[in-house]
């Protein structure tokens, strides 16, 4: 019998932009999420800083936690929820459009900086981040040791 030890870095993400809806859950921001917010604003200098919204943060945190806890590495939650459903359930109202970007990574790829680098290298994610029509966002991360998930929900009212 041969034993093999595997080690590596895993990273992935997806992007989705759609017409928006509404959401109300207690929002939580950690230092990693604050790093995402700061990094996004550094890339959006032509647009001006994007505001952080607690309802959007709650929707993003719900999904970051779900991805981490249930391995649902997409825009669809383990309960079948869409970004728009999570935003609506958080109490956010009046959005005329929304966008969501998600990321997961392990090891050195499990950082806000790695997430931002990955998103900015992807045309779809970059377009959402640099869309000056989006005026508010929610930033969230979840971590269980080696794996970090990150979600940013953007909105325009």
């Amino acid at each position: 019998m041969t034993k093999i030890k595997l080690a590596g870095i895993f990273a992935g993400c997806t992007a989705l932009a759609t017409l928006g809806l509404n959401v109300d859950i207690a929002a939580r921001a950690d230092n990693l999420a604050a790093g995402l917010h700061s990094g996004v604003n550094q890339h959006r200098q032509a647009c001006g800083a994007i505001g952080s919204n607690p309802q959007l943060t709650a929707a993003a945190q719900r999904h970051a936690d779900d991805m981490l806890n249930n391995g649902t590495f997409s825009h669809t939650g383990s309960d079948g929820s869409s970004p728009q459903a999570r935003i609506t359930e958080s109490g956010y109202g009046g959005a005329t459009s929304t966008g969501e970007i998600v990321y997961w990574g392990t090891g050195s790829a499990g950082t806000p900086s790695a997430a931002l680098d990955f998103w900015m290298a992807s045309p779809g994610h970059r377009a959402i981040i640099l869309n000056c029509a989006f005026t508010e966002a929610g930033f969230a991360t979840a971590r269980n040791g080696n794996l970090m998930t990150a979600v940013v929900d953007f909105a325009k009212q």
Side-chain angles (χ1 to χ4, degrees), residues 42 47-48 51-53 104 125 136 140 145:
Q42 287 176 355
C47 302
S52 179
N53 178 281
W104 57 93
H125 299 98
E136 297 182 293

Side-chain angles (χ1 to χ4, degrees), residues 4 15 65 68 74-75 79-80 92-93 104-105 112 117 122 124 131 135 137 139 152:
I4 299 173
D65 292 342
L68 182 73
S74 75
H75 293 286
D79 61 356
Y92 187 86
W104 57 93
D117 289 347
S122 162
N131 183 341
T135 57
F139 301 85
V152 184

Side-chain angles (χ1 to χ4, degrees), residues 5 7 12 15 20-21 23 29 43 52 60-61 63 66 68 72 94 96-97 108-109 115 117 122 130 132 136:
K5 184 176 180 180
L21 305 167
V23 195
H43 291 292
S52 179
Q61 191 65 59
H63 195 51
D66 185 41
L68 182 73
T72 54
T96 58
S97 65
S108 63
D117 289 347
S122 162
L130 299 180
C132 293
E136 297 182 293

Side-chain angles (χ1 to χ4, degrees), residues 20-24 84-95:
L21 305 167
N22 334 344
V23 195
D24 180 43
Q84 294 73 33
R86 293 186 295 272
I87 290 171
T88 299
E89 290 168 9
S90 78
Y92 187 86

Side-chain angles (χ1 to χ4, degrees), residues 123-156:
H125 299 98
R126 182 182 186 89
I128 291 172
I129 290 169
L130 299 180
N131 183 341
C132 293
F134 290 132
T135 57
E136 297 182 293
F139 301 85
T141 63
R143 181 177 217 68
N144 72 353
N146 200 36
L147 175 64
M148 180 198 80
T149 61
V151 177
V152 184
D153 285 329
F154 294 86
K156 169 189 174 185

